[in-house]
Amino acid sequence: MGSESHQQSENNEQEDSAPLYLQKFRLYETTSNFYMVGRDKTRTYWKVLKIDRLEPTELIMYEDSATYSEIECIDLLKRIHEGNKSTGGLKFVSTCYGIVGFVKFLGPYHMLVITKRRKIGVIRGHAVYAITKSEMFPIPNSTVLSNMPYSKNENRYKKLLRTVDLTRDFFFSYSYHIMISLQKNLSNRQSGLTLYDTMFVWNEFLTRGIRHQLKNTLWTVALVYGFFKQVTLPLSGRNFILTLIARRSRHYAGTRYLKRGVNEKGRVANDVETEQIVLEDVPAGCPLQISAVVQNRGSIPLFWSQETSRLNIKPDIILSRKDLNFEATKRHFENLVKRYGNPIIILNLIKTREKRPRETILRAAFANAIEFINKDLSEENHLRFLHWDLNKHSRSKATNVLTLLGKVAANALELTGFLHCQLIPASKTGKLLKLSPIDNTEDQAGQDPCEERAEPNSPSGDYHVNLSTLQRGVLRTNCIDCLDRTNVAQYAYGLVALGHQLHALGFIDVESIDLDSPLADNLMKLYEEMGDILALQYGGSAAHNKIFSERRGQWRAATQSQELFRTLQRYYSNAYMDAEKQDAINVFLGHFRPQEGKPALWELDSDQHYSVGGHVSSLAMESSRSFIKRSLSEGNLICGSSSPVKETDTEQTDDSDQPLPESAKGGSKGLSESTPEISTCETDISFARYTPSMSGRQLFLDMQLEQRLGSGNVRLHDRVDSIDFSNFLDVEWLSSSGNSCEEEAFERSAIIGSPCCVLSSDCVTVESKAETSSSVIESSSLKRQEQTSKDINFDAKGSSKHIAEFSEKFVHWVNNGDMLFP
C-alpha cells in the first residue's frame, strides 16, 4: 500500500505540473459494468472509468482517482476479470479514441464513441483529427434491456440521430482548444469544462452528463463542426503552413429555410467563424513566427423568414415587424464585441435593385436597424456599415470584383489588425508565461496584453510568446444565405490578410499578393473548398462559384451548367430533405428531448413554426401558427427532460475572450483490491462562469453611419480608383434589393415557369415604420413532408410518392454529391 500511495503521489505531482490528455481508450464490459481504460500519448499514464450497466434509465459512472502504469492497469483488469468469472468475466468491446457523449431517447442511455480517426493537421505541435468511424452502444446489459418497456419510436430516434454523420466535417484535438481561435488560445485561462459551453462545441449537450458527474473532460472530445484544411506552400525558397478553419455555431443551427435571421437571444443562422493561420515551417523546438486573422459570416440579424416550398424555387422573403427597437439585433452585435472586440465592420452584399422586391426588403430594414443602434452609441463606437451589391458588380470581369473587394478588405484589415507573434521554446516549468507588452491599450475582452497568461503545454514544449500585434474587432460579411457571395468576399479578405501575414513573417517584401499569382490561386482553391462544404451543410448543395470559375478561365457554358445543377440540387434538398435534417440537428444538440406521453418530434409541425422557449404543452395549443413561420430560439422544441443532469446557462460564458486553461482534473476514490469496484467521485467543484461586462456603448470605433435621404455620404462607384471607403457606406440602400448568386441560374431554369414564380410584387408586404397595419406578415403554412433519402426513410408509404418525382440517380446525386452524368 505504501508503494502504491507513493506512485499515486508522484502521478498527482505530474498532473499538477502539466495537463493530462488521454488519447486512446479500450472499452471492456462485464454484466454489471462498462470499463473504459484510457492512456496518454506516451503510454505513461493510465486511467480507469466505470459505467453502471444495471440501471435502466439513469447514467451512473465512477472514475478512479488513481493514475496507473501500463503494468498496473493490466493487473487491475485481470483482477476485474477474476472477480466477474461467475457472470462471464471481462470482455473486450472496442478500441476507442474518445467519448462523443451520452444520449437518452425514450429508453436507456446510449454511449457514442469514436472508433477510428485520421490526422488532418497540426497546430504548434498539437494534432487535429477527423472522425472516420463511430459507434453507439446501449448502456444497460441485454437482460436489463429485455425487461424495459418497448417503445416503437426508440429505434426511429436512433436512426434519426445517426443521420448526423460524424465522419463528415467534424474535427477535434486532445491538447489544443480547437473550438477557439489561436489568439484566444494564447490569452485565455478557461478550463476544458468551461470551453465545452462555448458556441462552437457541437456535442456540449451530449457530454453534459459525464462532465457534470466527473468534473473533468479527460474522457470526452469537443467536436467542432465546419471545415479544416492545412497545406504547406513554398515561397521564396522557404515553406510556410497555411491553415483554414471554419467553425459553425451550434446556436440557432439548422438548414437554409428553417433557420433564417436572428432569434430572441441575438443568435443568427449560419453563424460561422473563419480563421486563417500562417506559420513558418521550422523543425520542432525552434523559434517560430505565427500569424492569424479571424472573420465572421452570419444571417442578417433581423426577424425574417422564407417558407419552404415545392412549387416556388424562390420563396418570398417575410419580414416581421415585431422587434421595433431592434433588441435582438443589438444583442447580436454586443455578442460580437464580447467575442472579437471592436470595431465591428459589416459588409452587406445583397442587391441594390430588383424588379420584384425581395432582398431590398431586408436591405432597407438592416440599414434602419444599424442607424437605430448607432443613435445610442458614441460616434467613436459606431458600427461600420457598408452596402455593396456584389451581384451588380459581378456582371463585369471577376478580376474587377475581386479588386474592388480587395480595397474593402484592406480598409477593414487596417482597422482590426491581425495576430502576429513569435513563439520561443522555454523550459517545461509549468508556470505562467508572460506575454511581451505591445501598447497600453486593452485586449479584446478588456484584459491587459501585458498580463501574465497561461500557454497550453505542447508536445514539443512550452513557449514564451513575444507578441507583436493583436486583432481587435472583426469583419462580418453577409448576403442572403451567407454562402455564395459571402464566400467570394471572404476569399478577397483572406487574400489581403495573407499578404500582410506573409510580410509580417518576412516571406515577402510588400503587403500585397497579385491576383494572378500561384499563391492567390492556391488560396482561392482553399476558400472554394470551404465554401462548398459550408454550403452543403446549410444549403444542401455546393456553393455557386461563378466568380471563381471565371478566374480559372473555365468555359462559360460549363459554368452555367454547373450553376444550374447546383441550383436544382439545392432546391431538392431544401424542399424534400431539410425537415428531416433539421430534426436530426435538434436531437443531436438537445433542442428537442423525447419524453414518454408527449408528441414525437415528427408529429410536431415544422421547426420554424414555434415561438421562443415554447414547450410541447404550449405548442400543442398554439393558435397562431399562420404567423411568422420560423424558429426563434434554439431551445424552442424541448419537450421536457428525463435527464438527471442540470442544464447550464451557456449564455453567461459563451465566446468571451477568456484565457486558455489547463485540463480540469476529476477526483474519486481508488479501486478496491478486493472487488472490481470504483467508488463515486466525492469532489464538488462549482461551475463558476465569467461574464465579461461590456455595455452597448463600448462598441466600435471611427466612422459614423449617415443613412438619411439627401445626406452627403460617400458613394461607391464602378471605377476602382474612385472608391473611398472612409465611411464604409453606400446610400444606394434607399433603392436596394437583391437575390443570391444563383438567381441567374434560376432565370434560365424551366422551373421558373411555375405559377408561383410569376406572382406580382403585390404578394410581398413591406412593413415600414409608418405603417399601422398588421404587425406580422402572414404566410400560408406548408405541411411538412417526410425525408426521401434512403438512409433516413422511416415512413416508406408517406414518402414513396415523393421519391417517384425524381429518378434514383438524381436522389443519389443530391445525397452524395457525386457526378450526375459520369
Side-chain angles (χ1 to χ4, degrees):
M1 288 295 291
S3 61
E4 189 173 301
S5 299
H6 178 70
Q7 176 67 38
Q8 183 169 337
S9 175
E10 288 183 350
N11 291 335
N12 289 339
E13 288 179 6
Q14 175 66 30
E15 290 183 18
D16 290 338
S17 63
L20 175 62
Y21 302 110
L22 303 181
Q23 298 196 16
K24 191 170 183 179
F25 308 84
R26 290 176 67 85
L27 182 64
Y28 300 88
E29 67 174 357
T30 64
T31 302
S32 56
N33 296 293
F34 275 121
Y35 292 91
M36 181 168 279
V37 178
R39 65 167 175 82
D40 68 341
K41 186 177 181 179
T42 62
R43 304 177 69 95
T44 305
Y45 304 102
W46 300 69
K47 302 280 289 182
V48 179
L49 175 69
K50 185 181 78 170
I51 304 170
D52 190 287
R53 301 189 68 198
L54 300 178
E55 173 56 49
T57 59
E58 297 296 324
L59 182 63
I60 301 173
M61 60 185 66
Y62 310 101
E63 182 187 41
D64 187 357
S65 61
T67 302
Y68 296 92
S69 67
E70 184 172 4
I71 296 176
E72 291 171 335
C73 193
I74 292 173
D75 181 63
L76 174 64
L77 293 176
K78 288 180 180 178
R79 297 206 310 267
I80 295 175
H81 176 71
E82 292 295 327
N84 289 272
K85 268 190 174 181
S86 60
T87 56
L90 184 70
K91 301 175 183 177
F92 173 74
V93 178
S94 177
T95 298
C96 307
Y97 295 94
I99 297 176
V100 173
F102 295 84
V103 64
K104 183 182 187 300
F105 304 114
L106 298 171
Y109 271 93
H110 293 77
M111 176 170 59
L112 283 75
V113 296
I114 299 168
T115 54
K116 290 184 180 180
R117 68 184 183 187
R118 62 185 175 89
K119 189 175 178 180
I120 57 175
V122 177
I123 301 177
R124 295 175 32 258
H126 303 268
V128 180
Y129 297 94
I131 301 171
T132 55
K133 188 178 180 181
S134 62
E135 296 284 349
M136 183 163 64
F137 300 106
I139 297 299
N141 62 44
S142 57
T143 303
V144 176
L145 287 174
S146 64
N147 293 328
M148 295 184 68
Y150 173 75
S151 171
K152 64 179 182 179
N153 290 331
E154 179 75 10
N155 286 337
R156 186 165 178 178
Y157 278 119
K158 286 193 288 186
K159 289 179 181 178
L160 184 65
L161 183 68
R162 288 191 182 106
T163 63
V164 179
D165 190 354
L166 296 179
T167 65
R168 300 183 68 175
D169 311 328
F170 284 93
F171 50 93
F172 66 94
S173 176
Y174 298 105
S175 56
Y176 179 77
H177 296 308
I178 195 69
M179 75 290 291
I180 58 177
S181 67
L182 175 64
Q183 180 165 313
K184 292 180 181 179
N185 265 288
L186 295 176
S187 62
N188 286 0
R189 290 196 195 98
Q190 282 178 284
S191 70
L193 286 166
T194 307
L195 285 168
Y196 270 73
D197 291 334
T198 55
M199 65 189 295
F200 299 119
V201 178
W202 271 59
N203 59 333
E204 182 278 329
F205 167 73
L206 296 178
T207 59
R208 198 179 288 171
I210 183 173
R211 288 185 291 116
H212 285 198
Q213 287 195 47
L214 303 184
K215 304 296 187 290
N216 68 48
T217 58
L218 284 176
W219 304 92
T220 60
V221 295
L223 296 183
V224 179
Y225 185 46
F227 176 82
F228 184 99
K229 187 68 176 286
Q230 189 172 81
V231 296
T232 301
L233 299 173
L235 184 64
S236 304
R238 300 158 58 192
N239 290 339
F240 70 92
I241 300 172
L242 175 62
T243 306
L244 190 62
I245 306 172
R247 305 176 179 95
R248 181 176 293 281
S249 171
R250 64 181 167 88
H251 298 304
Y252 203 41
T255 56
R256 185 185 180 201
Y257 286 140
L258 295 178
K259 295 293 181 182
R260 288 295 214 192
V262 70
N263 68 11
E264 296 283 1
K265 296 180 181 179
R267 303 295 186 180
V268 295
N270 200 20
D271 189 345
V272 180
E273 174 184 276
T274 301
E275 182 177 23
Q276 180 173 296
I277 303 174
V278 178
L279 71 157
E280 295 177 297
D281 187 9
V282 297
C286 295
L288 75 152
Q289 293 187 83
I290 190 168
S291 176
V293 65
V294 171
Q295 54 181 318
N296 176 262
R297 71 172 74 186
S299 189
I300 295 174
L302 301 170
F303 288 99
W304 64 282
S305 63
Q306 285 180 283
E307 194 71 45
T308 307
S309 173
R310 290 190 175 130
L311 299 176
N312 186 356
I313 202 169
K314 293 197 301 178
D316 294 330
I317 288 176
I318 304 168
L319 177 65
S320 170
R321 196 167 158 267
K322 59 171 291 181
D323 190 12
L324 296 179
N325 292 325
F326 302 107
E327 292 298 329
T329 309
K330 193 180 303 181
R331 289 189 192 101
H332 172 67
F333 287 115
E334 288 172 350
N335 179 261
L336 283 181
V337 172
K338 285 183 182 180
R339 289 155 59 182
Y340 305 111
N342 54 57
I344 302 297
I345 303 166
I346 306 159
L347 178 57
N348 184 26
L349 301 173
I350 60 180
K351 288 185 174 181
T352 55
R353 292 181 179 84
E354 291 174 301
K355 293 179 181 178
R356 176 188 176 193
R358 292 182 70 255
E359 292 187 16
T360 43
I361 300 170
L362 295 178
R363 187 178 175 93
F366 197 12
N368 288 337
I370 300 301
E371 182 180 26
F372 186 90
I373 293 171
N374 277 344
K375 286 179 181 178
D376 293 332
L377 301 173
S378 62
E379 183 175 338
E380 64 180 10
N381 288 337
H382 275 188
L383 294 165
R384 326 302 186 73
F385 195 39
L386 172 65
H387 289 299
W388 198 76
D389 184 351
L390 187 145
N391 186 272
K392 180 180 71 175
H393 291 283
S394 66
R395 296 190 182 103
S396 61
K397 291 183 178 180
T399 303
N400 293 340
V401 175
L402 293 173
T403 302
L404 288 167
L405 284 172
K407 287 186 173 291
V408 177
N411 194 280
L413 188 65
E414 183 179 352
L415 292 170
T416 65
F418 59 94
L419 172 71
H420 173 222
C421 63
Q422 185 180 36
L423 304 180
I424 303 174
S427 62
K428 297 182 179 181
T429 61
K431 298 179 181 179
L432 297 180
L433 301 176
K434 192 169 184 178
L435 301 184
S436 300
I438 53 174
D439 53 35
N440 294 324
T441 59
E442 291 188 344
D443 198 358
Q444 305 181 179
Q447 299 174 349
D448 186 350
C450 304
E451 179 187 349
E452 288 188 345
R453 296 184 175 97
E455 165 69 8
N457 289 296
S458 165
S460 57
D462 294 338
Y463 290 94
H464 284 298
V465 182
N466 288 338
L467 192 59
S468 299
T469 60
L470 284 173
Q471 178 175 342
R472 297 182 180 86
V474 73
L475 173 65
R476 182 198 192 277
T477 307
N478 72 265
C479 49
I480 288 297
D481 297 323
C482 302
L483 298 175
D484 314 318
R485 288 170 286 180
T486 295
N487 202 60
V488 173
Q490 289 208 329
Y491 161 66
Y493 184 77
L495 184 62
V496 171
L498 182 61
H500 284 73
Q501 290 175 292
L502 291 175
H503 178 263
L505 269 59
F507 279 84
I508 56 178
D509 297 327
V510 294
E511 294 182 335
S512 61
I513 298 173
D514 191 272
L515 278 169
D516 296 320
S517 69
L519 198 55
D521 186 59
N522 286 327
L523 187 68
M524 185 178 72
K525 290 176 182 176
L526 278 181
Y527 272 86
E528 185 174 10
E529 184 179 351
M530 179 186 74
D532 286 342
I533 295 297
L534 296 179
L536 280 165
Q537 293 167 5
Y538 180 66
S541 78
H544 292 276
N545 294 318
K546 185 179 73 171
I547 291 176
F548 291 154
S549 298
E550 290 180 4
R551 281 290 304 153
R552 287 194 300 268
Q554 185 171 311
W555 185 34
R556 184 176 179 82
T559 300
Q560 291 175 345
S561 175
Q562 174 182 277
E563 296 297 292
L564 177 58
F565 280 132
R566 289 183 177 180
T567 296
L568 294 174
Q569 186 180 18
R570 191 172 293 184
Y571 159 72
Y572 175 87
S573 179
N574 298 158
Y576 292 90
M577 300 176 65
D578 280 1
E580 198 80 26
K581 184 177 178 181
Q582 185 68 58
D583 285 348
I585 291 172
N586 287 337
V587 169
F588 186 87
L589 295 177
H591 298 339
F592 178 90
R593 297 172 221 173
Q595 192 173 19
E596 203 67 60
K598 300 292 185 180
L601 181 57
W602 42 88
E603 293 173 355
L604 299 174
D605 206 347
S606 174
D607 179 60
Q608 64 178 175
H609 290 234
Y610 304 122
S611 57
V612 178
H615 295 268
V616 167
S617 57
S618 60
L619 291 176
M621 298 184 293
E622 182 63 56
S623 61
S624 58
R625 289 182 178 176
S626 60
F627 296 116
I628 206 65
K629 302 293 192 269
R630 64 191 310 283
S631 172
L632 302 180
S633 170
E634 60 266 16
N636 60 346
L637 293 178
I638 295 176
C639 285
S641 174
S642 56
S643 169
V645 180
K646 182 179 179 181
E647 292 187 30
T648 59
D649 181 7
T650 59
E651 293 296 321
Q652 295 181 16
T653 56
D654 269 348
D655 321 313
S656 58
D657 270 341
Q658 308 253 347
L660 180 75
E662 294 186 0
S663 295
K665 304 176 183 65
S668 57
K669 292 183 178 180
L671 289 167
S672 168
E673 294 187 48
S674 58
T675 59
E677 297 292 327
I678 305 177
S679 61
T680 60
C681 176
E682 295 181 343
T683 58
D684 185 14
I685 303 174
S686 62
F687 290 88
R689 288 185 172 76
Y690 170 75
T691 305
S693 57
M694 183 173 292
S695 67
R697 291 187 173 273
Q698 287 178 273
L699 303 168
F700 334 4
L701 284 172
D702 294 328
M703 296 187 188
Q704 64 185 33
L705 179 66
E706 298 268 339
Q707 296 195 349
R708 302 180 186 278
L709 185 62
S711 62
N713 293 316
V714 178
R715 297 171 61 95
L716 288 177
H717 302 283
D718 291 334
R719 293 184 66 247
V720 176
D721 296 337
S722 64
I723 296 181
D724 181 356
F725 294 107
S726 61
N727 284 325
F728 269 92
L729 170 69
D730 177 10
V731 294
E732 289 180 355
W733 69 272
L734 291 171
S735 60
S736 60
S737 179
N739 297 318
S740 70
C741 287
E742 60 194 272
E743 180 174 279
E744 292 180 11
F746 287 150
E747 292 172 351
R748 289 190 296 271
S749 172
I751 297 179
I752 301 303
S754 168
C756 293
C757 298
V758 293
L759 294 175
S760 69
S761 60
D762 294 336
C763 67
V764 180
T765 304
V766 183
E767 295 174 331
S768 66
K769 294 180 180 179
E771 288 178 328
T772 58
S773 58
S774 170
S775 63
V776 185
I777 299 176
E778 297 189 11
S779 167
S780 60
S781 176
L782 299 177
K783 188 67 178 176
R784 173 183 224 165
Q785 303 291 338
E786 289 291 326
Q787 162 107 269
T788 60
S789 169
K790 61 182 179 181
D791 294 330
I792 51 179
N793 182 14
F794 304 123
D795 187 357
K797 292 182 180 180
S799 58
S800 60
K801 60 182 180 181
H802 303 310
I803 297 178
E805 297 178 19
F806 298 93
S807 69
E808 182 179 347
K809 182 181 291 186
F810 184 81
V811 174
H812 178 79
W813 171 63
V814 171
N815 290 335
N816 300 283
D818 298 330
M819 293 182 63
L820 180 60
F821 302 111

